[in-house]
């Protein structure tokens, strides 16, 4: 600044942060009827996971009741949920997928 004898004389400014967009977790829910292989296929197809990653997440959902499949912007998360729900419905499986603000 200017005038204060203790002032180092360098203009310092704290960063004014641009708001970071909220992120959304996509959750997959367990049920008693959807085949395990179908869930693995969904995870590979819509979330770009390899077979072993997909199998691991499927087993977590099966054992714990739900798992986070990924974290995305609202638009991407909403699209993933819609794709999974539509694919499950077309195959007549009760698989549920939802999103939750982080
Ligand atoms: N619980 C199902 C079964 O025993 C498998 C399953 C896993 C279903 C994950 C849904 O999100 C799910 N066939």
């Amino acid at each position: 600044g200017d005038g204060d004898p203790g002032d180092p004389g360098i203009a310092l400014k704290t960063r004014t942060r641009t708001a970071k967009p909220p992120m959304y977790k996509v959750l997959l829910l367990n049920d008693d009827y959807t085949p395990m292989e179908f869930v693995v296929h969904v995870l590979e197809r819509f979330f770009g996971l390899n077979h072993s990653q997909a199998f691991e997440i499927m087993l977590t959902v099966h054992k714990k009741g739900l798992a986070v499949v990924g974290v995305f912007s609202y638009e991407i998360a909403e699209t993933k949920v819609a794709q999974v729900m539509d694919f499950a419905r077309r195959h007549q499986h009760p698989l549920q997928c939802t999103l939750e603000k982080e």
Side-chain angles (χ1 to χ4, degrees), residues 28-36 39 57-59 61-62 95-96:
L28 200 62
L29 278 57
N30 190 36
D31 66 72
D32 293 338
Y33 306 102
T34 305
M36 289 184 173
V39 177
I57 291 180
M58 181 283 295
L59 267 193
V61 177
H62 177 70
L95 182 64
Q96 295 292 307

Side-chain angles (χ1 to χ4, degrees), residues 1 7-13:
D7 188 322
I10 306 161
L12 299 174
K13 192 176 189 310

Side-chain angles (χ1 to χ4, degrees), residues 28-101:
L28 200 62
L29 278 57
N30 190 36
D31 66 72
D32 293 338
Y33 306 102
T34 305
M36 289 184 173
E37 321 82 74
F38 182 84
V39 177
V40 171
H41 179 74
V42 161
L43 292 171
E44 292 172 336
R45 180 170 177 144
F46 298 114
F47 297 92
L49 302 177
N50 67 37
H51 194 77
S52 90
Q53 293 170 327
F55 195 87
E56 194 174 293
I57 291 180
M58 181 283 295
L59 267 193
T60 300
V61 177
H62 177 70
K63 289 194 272 194
K64 310 252 188 191
L66 83 179
V68 176
V69 177
V71 181
F72 307 97
S73 68
Y74 181 80
E75 182 171 330
I76 301 293
E78 191 60 69
T79 300
K80 302 275 184 202
V81 168
Q83 287 173 331
V84 171
M85 294 298 283
D86 185 58
F87 191 68
R89 185 194 52 74
R90 273 156 41 214
H91 290 83
Q92 300 185 292
H93 293 309
L95 182 64
Q96 295 292 307
C97 184
T98 188
L99 75 173
E100 184 181 283
K101 196 173 181 174

